[in-house]
Amino acid sequence: MSAEELIKRYEAGGGRLAAASAEGLAVPPSLHTAIVTCMDSRIDVFALFGMDIGETHVLRNAGGVVTDDVIRSLTISQRKLGTRDVLLVQHNGCGLATFTDDEFCEELAEETGMRPSWRTHAFRDPAESVRRDVTQLRHDPFLHPDTRVRGFVLDIHEGVLDEVVVD
């Protein structure tokens, strides 16, 4: 599907549907929760958690990993919009497990003549990545002191969440 197809769907009434869905909703999410997950198009976060629009903030990036921009968005979500819970959801079969940071940076450098200023945050084991990221979020000085963070690995084929417990 191309961007043109999406624009056609918007013009056929998508904008009206989106406005109707958001009508009457407050800006702060009603469940005071933010979800960080992968941009993988197979993950329907709303179906996974049985959510409605307006209940959570959903932050997506490659791998659902904690980056500086995730911290920035979570800090704004908490400090200005009242969220307190963070659910971190990564998954098996993630593309970030198919290469390393160094490999990807080298490929880009060979193609463009430059190395990126950012990291991919590639990982081999999603549970270990979740464990590291939960720990990072729990110790971040900018997040609200009352922040509750839980991390999960989603079995993308079965739709099963396994919690990664971090002491």
Side-chain angles (χ1 to χ4, degrees):
M1 176 153 328
S2 70
E4 293 303 316
E5 176 63 26
L6 295 175
I7 297 301
K8 286 180 188 175
R9 290 179 186 185
Y10 160 77
E11 291 169 346
R16 286 187 307 278
L17 288 173
S21 294
E23 187 175 338
L25 295 177
V27 174
S30 63
L31 295 178
H32 308 287
T33 300
I35 299 170
V36 178
T37 194
C38 186
M39 67 185 192
D40 190 309
S41 61
R42 299 172 292 176
I43 300 173
D44 182 344
V45 182
F46 287 85
L48 182 66
F49 291 105
M51 295 185 314
D52 290 322
I53 290 176
E55 290 186 318
T56 67
H57 285 156
V58 178
L59 309 176
R60 298 181 79 141
N61 66 22
V65 295
V66 174
T67 63
D68 288 346
D69 195 57
V70 166
I71 296 290
R72 179 188 70 86
S73 294
L74 287 174
T75 302
I76 294 166
S77 174
Q78 290 191 331
R79 302 295 180 152
K80 297 298 182 184
L81 297 165
T83 60
R84 288 298 177 266
D85 292 337
V86 177
L87 298 182
L88 178 68
V89 180
Q90 297 178 13
H91 66 96
N92 63 357
C94 185
L96 280 188
T98 64
F99 57 86
T100 67
D101 278 333
D102 290 340
E103 290 168 350
F104 192 73
C105 288
E106 191 59 33
E107 288 174 20
L108 289 176
E110 287 176 14
E111 184 178 327
T112 67
M114 298 181 293
R115 292 189 188 284
S117 60
W118 40 264
R119 295 182 50 231
T120 64
H121 297 271
F123 54 82
R124 293 286 179 218
D125 177 8
E128 184 56 36
S129 179
V130 167
R131 193 171 288 106
R132 282 192 305 262
D133 286 353
V134 165
T135 300
Q136 180 180 349
L137 290 174
R138 286 182 178 168
H139 292 94
D140 191 277
F142 298 110
L143 296 185
H144 196 278
D146 295 335
T147 301
R148 293 173 299 272
V149 182
R150 294 177 68 184
F152 300 86
V153 174
L154 171 66
D155 181 319
I156 196 97
H157 302 292
E158 301 294 326
V160 174
L161 283 176
D162 287 317
E163 187 160 10
V164 176
V165 178
V166 180
D167 294 328

